[in-house]
Amino acid sequence: MSGAAFDDSEINQDDSQEDVMTPAELIAKLEEAWLNEKFSPELQENKSEVVECVMEQLTHMESNLQRVKKGDTKASIHRMEVDRIRFVLTSYLRSRLQKIEKFFPHVLEREKTRADGEPSLLSPEEFAFAKEYYDNTEAYLKAVALKRMPPNLQSIDMLKAVPEPCLDSFVFLRVKEKQENILIEPETDDQREYVVDLEEGSQHLMRYRTIAPLISSGAVQLI
Amino acid sequence: MFCEKAVELVRELHRLRDGQLPAFNEDGLRQVLQEMESLYDQNQADVNEAKAGRSDLIPSIKLRHSCLLRNQRCITAYLYDRLLRIRALRWGYGSVLPANVRFHMCAEEVEWFGQYKKSLAAFMRSIGGGEGLDITQDMKPPKSLYIQVRCLKDHGEFEIDDGTVILLKKNSQHFLPRWKCEHLIRQGVLEHVLS
């Protein structure tokens, strides 16, 4: 998806931001976040600034489209572009929401035990949604069954009851920045651990757990 | 045999793997809860005896306790799996459930669904800081600008961007811009014809 359809001269860059991105760079960032979120087994860092900027972009493009003469062929191409960007954005947000719902007690626990300096896993709205989902589900289970059970069985440890994401699942990745001495843990008893170097531009299939920190640092991209 | 009824509940859902929601098995649930109550009462009695010296009762106490845990686990699995199916309905059908589905839900499930809808709506409205974004739309990547659609019900007149008005009569087919048809397809008025 090229940024050629954007009308650069009309876009107001937010001057209060320190690093100003071109629309093409913004969409590239959105696509990276989307693919990383889609292919990783656990929830990634939240990118609400990207989401907000893309929303602004979409509103701007929609209003441009309203002003264009009817029947203009360029309009359909712009319209297609808007639809594509909106699909990527909604798919990204859906991906996140699905993981939040699937692993809700663990996601909330991670957020609770997060150190002060670390970036947030959930946006404030996602956190509110996760908390509501937890409370809603717990209240439901209590009302329908748990309160009718013997006294010592009237509660459930959600952290134990809901499975955790499988961090050992394999993911495809492309290396963006060269990495040296990545330690690969043995999978079976007769294997030994070993190190690999990841060359820039190379593609690999590895266990998520091994390269998880490299995703947030931007060193690798899941594909 | 203990826990049979609980396993039957789980099996009931396991049989319907396509995500259908069967009627809420209030009867089955009640039977399992009754079994749990009787197991617990028997254990209470035996625990007192065991404390008084009868340590030969300890294996049966442990057995009943495992059965109690198993019943709890099966019930929670049954209830939670139903919730997941109900949640899928919000994403598939929309916020108004068809009557035949609602009939299969117990009152607490309807309540859960209402809360879930509200939560989701609040979240969608908060996206981006403006009017929000309906992420239950745009479920498939846009493939083409125009699509062939067949009209499933009479819908009357429909205006498209360049001003032309189309009459949507049942069984008529049209070649229309995709973005205009999406919501009508979801409502079941139009059907995307894949040739």
Side-chain angles (χ1 to χ4, degrees), chain A residues 51-52 55-56 58 70-71 76-77 79-80 83-84 86-87 89-91 93-94 97-98 101-102 104 123 125-126 128-129 132-133 136-137 140-141 143-156 162, chain B residues 24 26 29-30 33 36-37 40 65 68-69 72 75-76 79-80 83-84 87 91 106 108-109 111-112 115-116 119-120 123 126-128 132-145 161-162 178-179:
Chain A
V51 171
E52 264 177 48
M55 285 289 289
E56 265 176 41
L58 282 176
K70 309 238 185 271
S76 6
I77 301 184
R79 161 64 53 194
M80 198 59 168
D83 285 347
R84 285 205 183 104
R86 202 177 37 243
F87 169 75
L89 182 61
T90 53
S91 183
L93 292 168
R94 275 194 295 269
L97 222 58
Q98 264 164 32
E101 289 176 5
K102 194 167 180 191
F104 65 100
S123 70
E125 298 81 21
E126 285 171 341
F129 178 83
E132 285 165 19
Y133 190 82
N136 194 15
T137 308
Y140 164 77
L141 289 174
V144 136
L146 290 177
K147 71 166 194 254
R148 293 153 73 181
M149 291 191 182
N152 62 333
L153 287 164
Q154 285 188 356
S155 65
I156 294 228
V162 176
Chain B
F24 187 77
E26 177 63 53
L29 181 65
R30 195 179 321 122
L33 289 169
M36 287 179 79
E37 194 181 332
Y40 181 75
H65 188 66
L68 280 166
L69 288 174
Q72 188 200 48
I75 288 182
T76 357
L79 295 173
Y80 191 64
L83 282 189
L84 293 180
R87 176 248 182 223
W91 290 85
C106 69
E108 291 87 356
E109 284 175 334
E111 164 85 32
W112 185 89
Q115 290 286 51
Y116 178 75
S119 238
L120 183 62
F123 173 74
S126 72
I127 300 172
L133 183 65
D134 186 352
I135 56 176
T136 64
Q137 302 290 329
D138 301 291
M139 299 286 271
K140 292 201 159 72
K143 274 203 160 27
S144 59
L145 287 172
D161 286 337
D162 58 4
R178 196 185 43 79
W179 63 92

Side-chain angles (χ1 to χ4, degrees), chain B residues 145-159:
Chain B
L145 287 172
Y146 283 74
I147 50 172
Q148 190 83 339
V149 289
R150 182 184 301 119
C151 201
L152 298 172
K153 320 181 195 171
D154 279 324
H155 191 72
E157 292 187 345
F158 186 58
E159 182 174 345

Side-chain angles (χ1 to χ4, degrees), chain B residues 12-27:
Chain B
E12 182 189 305
L13 284 180
H14 189 66
R15 254 191 297 244
L16 297 165
R17 239 161 299 192
D18 56 356
Q20 263 183 65
L21 188 73
F24 187 77
N25 198 340
E26 177 63 53
D27 237 10

Side-chain angles (χ1 to χ4, degrees), chain B:
Chain B
M1 202 50 246
F2 297 134
C3 303
E4 254 178 38
K5 195 69 203 169
V7 170
E8 219 180 272
L9 280 181
V10 172
R11 225 181 260 133
E12 182 189 305
L13 284 180
H14 189 66
R15 254 191 297 244
L16 297 165
R17 239 161 299 192
D18 56 356
Q20 263 183 65
L21 188 73
F24 187 77
N25 198 340
E26 177 63 53
D27 237 10
L29 181 65
R30 195 179 321 122
Q31 285 178 42
V32 181
L33 289 169
Q34 273 171 2
E35 184 182 274
M36 287 179 79
E37 194 181 332
S38 97
L39 282 169
Y40 181 75
D41 289 340
Q42 287 174 51
N43 256 7
Q44 285 291 85
D46 275 6
V47 160
N48 288 331
E49 302 258 344
K51 282 193 196 154
R54 287 202 54 191
S55 50
D56 59 318
L57 291 174
I58 291 182
S60 27
I61 294 175
K62 285 192 179 163
L63 176 70
R64 288 196 203 100
H65 188 66
S66 312
C67 293
L68 280 166
L69 288 174
R70 184 145 207 241
N71 276 342
Q72 188 200 48
R73 194 173 161 179
C74 288
I75 288 182
T76 357
Y78 173 74
L79 295 173
Y80 191 64
D81 194 73
R82 283 181 65 92
L83 282 189
L84 293 180
R85 292 175 195 226
I86 293 172
R87 176 248 182 223
L89 292 171
R90 169 65 186 88
W91 290 85
Y93 277 108
S95 33
V96 180
L97 294 179
N100 60 328
V101 170
R102 278 193 65 140
F103 198 59
H104 283 180
M105 290 164 59
C106 69
E108 291 87 356
E109 284 175 334
V110 174
E111 164 85 32
W112 185 89
F113 182 76
Q115 290 286 51
Y116 178 75
K117 267 194 331 191
K118 250 188 1 193
S119 238
L120 183 62
F123 173 74
M124 295 199 289
R125 214 177 311 123
S126 72
I127 300 172
E131 273 177 23
L133 183 65
D134 186 352
I135 56 176
T136 64
Q137 302 290 329
D138 301 291
M139 299 286 271
K140 292 201 159 72
K143 274 203 160 27
S144 59
L145 287 172
Y146 283 74
I147 50 172
Q148 190 83 339
V149 289
R150 182 184 301 119
C151 201
L152 298 172
K153 320 181 195 171
D154 279 324
H155 191 72
E157 292 187 345
F158 186 58
E159 182 174 345
I160 49 176
D161 286 337
D162 58 4
T164 47
V165 173
I166 309 245
L167 180 62
L168 294 177
K169 215 170 134 63
K170 185 167 171 177
N171 286 326
S172 60
Q173 280 194 253
H174 308 276
F175 193 59
L176 293 176
R178 196 185 43 79
W179 63 92
K180 277 256 161 228
C181 310
E182 209 160 39
H183 78 283
L184 287 174
I185 294 177
R186 292 176 72 84
Q187 280 174 32
V189 174
L190 295 177
E191 178 190 37
H192 187 179
V193 175
L194 302 148
S195 47

Side-chain angles (χ1 to χ4, degrees), chain A residues 17-71:
Chain A
Q17 280 176 318
E18 286 197 351
D19 39 340
V20 169
M21 277 189 278
T22 66
E25 286 170 354
L26 174 66
I27 299 304
K29 267 209 140 39
L30 174 68
E31 286 188 0
E32 277 172 23
W34 172 57
L35 290 173
N36 281 339
E37 197 68 71
K38 246 178 108 87
F39 296 126
S40 79
E42 67 172 352
L43 194 63
Q44 299 296 302
E45 250 170 56
N46 96 85
K47 304 263 179 220
S48 16
E49 344 75 54
V50 174
V51 171
E52 264 177 48
C53 291
V54 173
M55 285 289 289
E56 265 176 41
Q57 204 64 263
L58 282 176
T59 326
H60 187 87
M61 290 171 85
E62 293 265 10
S63 63
N64 274 353
L65 277 172
Q66 299 294 348
R67 293 188 285 133
V68 157
K69 281 202 299 288
K70 309 238 185 271

